[in-house]
Amino acid sequence: MSKRLRSSEVCADCSGPDPSWASVNRGTFICDECCSVHRSLGRHISQVRHLKHTPWPPTLLQMVETLYNNGANSIWEHSLLDPASIMSGRRKANPQDKVHPNKAEFIRAKYQMLAFVHRLPCRDDDSVTAKDLSKQLHSSVRTGNLETCLRLLSLGAQANFFHPEKGNTPLHVASKAGQILQAELLAVYGADPGTQDSSGKTPVDYARQGGHHELAERLVEIQYELTDRLAFYLCGRKPDHKNGQHFIIPQMADSSLDLSELAKAAKKKLQSLSNHLFEELAMDVYDEVDRRETDAVWLATQNHSTLVTETTVVPFLPVNPEYSSTRNQGRQKLARFNAHEFATLVIDILSDAKRRQQGSPLSSSKDNVELILKTISNQHSVESQDNDQPDYDSVASDEDTDLEATASKANRQKSLDSDLSDGPVTVQEFMEVKNALVASEAKIQQLMKIGRSALVTSSSSLPSFPSTLSWSRDESARRASRLEKQNSTPESDYDNTPNDTDPDDTGSSRKGRQRSMVWQGDGSVPDTAEPHTAPSPILPSTEDVIRKTEQITKNIQELLRAAQENKHDSYIPCSERIHVAVTEMAALFPKKPKSDTVRTSLRLLTSSAYRLQSECKKTLPGDPGPPTDIQLVTQQVIQCAYDIAKAAKQLVTITTKENNN
């Protein structure tokens, strides 16, 4: 542990004396009152630690102290330092201000809205600006100038930026130079210690080669931070990474819950998650562990002479706008797990993380999962649908609000891979695919600008466990500014696109995914190819495919809004517009594509559009046959739209890969 705070140090937000908390990703020290506001913002805005009562990796605390002592706060209050700001009436909070609304409003403006951060001159191409900033970061991390790097990160530089000419990331550079504090800062902003450079070496390799043994050991700790934190939460011990022990799996003193059929079923369904979705669940549990531990410190250090104060505990994880409404609701529901239930979940995650890291085969279960985390708790029955909990934030959804809805949607990826008709898809589930589609398009566009070398690196940036678990624990910190959010290439929340390069795919699962893309209909849907046409290897440009995909996405959004608002008379016109957009996209491709994957994706795209029109016509009042079950029709409509989005996203991915080969 490095030196303790000097008495001259003051709160970065209100200038109050003797701050006892730190905002790690902002490089500032803050007082109790201001910390209560930071905690309510969420870890994606501010990651707080108590300076005395929270365990600190020594170099992480040293990094925060260095930033604070070198004026990191001026990054977040840049415009307030201008004398003109006094004339305009803008000022920072002071110790005498009330927490609400005075301090809270200032802190939200400072960190959430970034109202006082220096703005770069406007340019036509923001992605070029982000690339330039990232190159500056890549160069700066070889020095000890931490505040310069934090400023670049605040403006939108990417901690995981892969330099197309140098063939490595900023963390490779910092590790080679032995800059351990720079490595800490990059890791806080999401840098991945497991990323390989163009030579196949990781930052850990360069640290060891350079004789920077402390840095190498710290990078390994960062790589396993998520699972280490979960284990320490339960048993107060961490693995001995130096001697090759990378996991500790605590045991329950009372194993009755572990042996129950509900817990066994939950564990089996947890194992069926893809690596990406398992990683997201683990990240959410990590955040809940942080909330519970910080609450314990908070309660132990507060003045309890009054029962009601302006500063209180955070009852559940704050909403992260970068996440879907379903995921946010699921994160909040984690707070309802009692200690025994939550410990069981943590142990299951630790066990499965170890299994995945060691490459053990995935579960072969093909169940259509409707409940996962619910079964861990012996207080909730399968039939329970607690949708009206008044103590949870409203996050723009009035259905599927239970935590298990998040897991249900996550597990649907597996069931969809087996059989597209495996069950109805909810509006929330479809929105996840739509969000993934938009994120994928943004990522593809930036990859095209960076060039093939970055594309190759991106395709290999799906590191095996536990690397993915650790670096993404603070993925939201990489979105610290609006500019960064515009220029970044965020990891998709729920990327359901089949990808033959996924590290967790076995040969059999890849075959299953290819089969799942063909709609098993009644055979009446026309094929996209003509029988006497010679196969063509020519594919349309990626730009054209993306443009048409955006048009499809826009039309599908209108359909979803109609479904959510029960405007059933809008189904038919929406389906017609989607059909037109799908037809135009299919026309971009040759009559008979040479690639089997393109053919199956086009078949899914066009057949789903035909099926969508057929389902929507059932809403007509004069439709013959038995009375229409409008809820069933809506479910089928959403399922069709889901399949269309999935196929369109697959075509974007295929054309991008082929056109860059």
Side-chain angles (χ1 to χ4, degrees), residues 371 374 380-386:
L371 304 170
K374 186 176 220 176
H380 305 291
S381 66
V382 172
E383 293 79 12
S384 174
Q385 296 293 334
D386 254 343

Side-chain angles (χ1 to χ4, degrees), residues 223-240:
Q223 195 168 358
Y224 287 89
E225 181 179 336
L226 190 147
T227 49
D228 283 3
R229 179 77 178 271
L230 298 188
F232 190 82
Y233 171 73
L234 291 182
C235 65
R237 294 187 299 118
K238 291 185 178 180
D240 185 0

Side-chain angles (χ1 to χ4, degrees), residues 197-214:
D197 66 2
S198 56
S199 301
K201 295 181 178 179
T202 67
V204 179
D205 295 330
Y206 282 107
R208 286 172 177 161
Q209 288 178 9
H212 311 300
H213 301 298
E214 181 186 6

Side-chain angles (χ1 to χ4, degrees), residues 15-319:
S15 301
D18 302 324
S20 54
W21 296 82
S23 174
V24 178
N25 58 321
R26 303 298 181 173
T28 58
F29 295 142
I30 51 180
C31 67
D32 281 5
E33 289 191 343
C34 291
C35 179
S36 70
V37 181
H38 278 248
R39 293 199 61 213
S40 70
L41 298 178
R43 294 187 72 252
H44 58 287
I45 301 295
S46 181
Q47 301 159 27
V48 299
R49 280 175 176 258
H50 197 277
L51 288 163
K52 295 180 180 179
H53 298 283
T54 301
W56 282 82
T59 51
L60 180 62
L61 179 57
Q62 186 182 350
M63 183 270 289
V64 178
E65 288 179 334
T66 301
L67 284 172
Y68 178 86
N69 292 329
N70 285 276
N73 196 41
S74 64
I75 295 173
W76 316 112
E77 296 184 355
H78 175 83
S79 63
L80 292 180
L81 301 177
D82 185 347
S85 67
I86 301 177
M87 301 299 295
S88 66
R90 293 194 302 179
R91 67 170 184 85
K92 69 181 296 177
N94 62 55
Q96 289 73 39
D97 284 334
K98 291 184 177 181
V99 177
H100 300 285
N102 305 76
K103 289 184 178 181
E105 288 180 355
F106 171 75
I107 291 170
R108 290 182 185 276
K110 178 178 176 180
Y111 298 109
Q112 191 170 40
M113 306 305 296
L114 299 171
F116 316 121
V117 172
H118 173 64
R119 301 293 180 185
L120 291 176
C122 293
R123 296 177 59 170
D124 294 334
D125 191 347
D126 285 340
S127 63
V128 174
T129 301
K131 185 176 179 180
D132 291 342
L133 290 167
S134 298
K135 285 188 173 182
Q136 291 181 44
L137 176 67
H138 189 278
S139 176
S140 298
V141 293
R142 70 180 74 251
T143 73
N145 201 337
L146 283 178
E147 61 275 16
T148 296
C149 294
L150 179 60
R151 191 179 301 275
L152 290 168
L153 289 164
S154 74
L155 292 172
Q158 299 297 296
N160 270 316
F161 173 73
F162 189 89
H163 200 296
E165 288 83 28
K166 306 292 186 182
N168 57 13
T169 69
L171 191 54
H172 285 96
V173 176
S175 300
K176 191 173 183 179
Q179 293 289 346
I180 192 168
L181 300 189
Q182 293 283 21
E184 290 282 5
L185 177 61
L186 291 169
V188 166
Y189 275 81
D192 179 10
T195 297
Q196 296 182 348
D197 66 2
S198 56
S199 301
K201 295 181 178 179
T202 67
V204 179
D205 295 330
Y206 282 107
R208 286 172 177 161
Q209 288 178 9
H212 311 300
H213 301 298
E214 181 186 6
L215 172 56
E217 292 172 3
R218 177 63 184 140
L219 288 173
V220 172
E221 290 178 359
I222 291 171
Q223 195 168 358
Y224 287 89
E225 181 179 336
L226 190 147
T227 49
D228 283 3
R229 179 77 178 271
L230 298 188
F232 190 82
Y233 171 73
L234 291 182
C235 65
R237 294 187 299 118
K238 291 185 178 180
D240 185 0
H241 297 294
K242 292 182 182 179
N243 293 319
Q245 182 196 25
H246 298 308
F247 292 92
I248 291 179
I249 312 297
Q251 299 297 317
M252 297 286 285
D254 175 12
S255 60
S256 58
L257 187 59
D258 289 339
L259 298 177
S260 70
E261 290 303 316
L262 290 177
K264 289 178 181 178
K267 185 179 298 186
K268 186 175 182 180
K269 293 163 186 175
L270 183 73
Q271 292 174 350
S272 73
L273 290 175
S274 70
N275 276 358
H276 179 69
L277 295 177
F278 175 78
E279 176 186 322
E280 286 190 339
L281 176 60
M283 288 163 53
D284 294 343
V285 171
Y286 176 97
D287 285 351
E288 175 65 12
V289 165
D290 181 83
R291 184 195 69 82
R292 294 187 181 208
E293 289 186 332
T294 306
D295 262 353
V297 174
W298 182 266
L299 291 170
T301 57
Q302 295 304 295
N303 182 354
H304 301 290
S305 58
T306 58
L307 293 177
V308 180
T309 65
E310 287 189 287
T311 61
T312 60
V313 298
V314 176
F316 46 78
L317 290 173
V319 171

Side-chain angles (χ1 to χ4, degrees), residues 528 540-541 543-553 555 575-591 602 605-606 609-610 644 648 651:
T528 56
S541 69
E543 292 86 348
D544 289 342
V545 176
I546 290 176
R547 187 166 58 251
K548 293 299 181 183
T549 299
E550 289 172 345
Q551 185 178 349
I552 292 172
T553 303
N555 292 327
S575 69
E576 290 175 349
R577 285 192 290 270
I578 292 172
H579 184 265
V580 170
V582 165
T583 303
E584 292 177 353
M585 181 168 179
L588 296 174
F589 291 82
K591 294 282 187 179
L602 283 170
L605 182 74
T606 56
Y610 276 99
I644 292 170
L651 289 169

Side-chain angles (χ1 to χ4, degrees), residues 8 164 215 276 282 342 372 408 458 575 597:
S8 60
L215 172 56
H276 179 69
F342 190 63
I372 294 182
S408 171
S458 175
S575 69
T597 312

Side-chain angles (χ1 to χ4, degrees), residues 491-513:
E491 294 299 323
S492 158
D493 273 357
Y494 295 95
D495 189 348
N496 290 336
T497 302
N499 187 340
D500 290 345
T501 62
D502 275 357
D504 57 308
D505 278 354
T506 61
S508 60
S509 65
R510 282 197 295 270
K511 292 178 183 177
R513 290 184 175 203

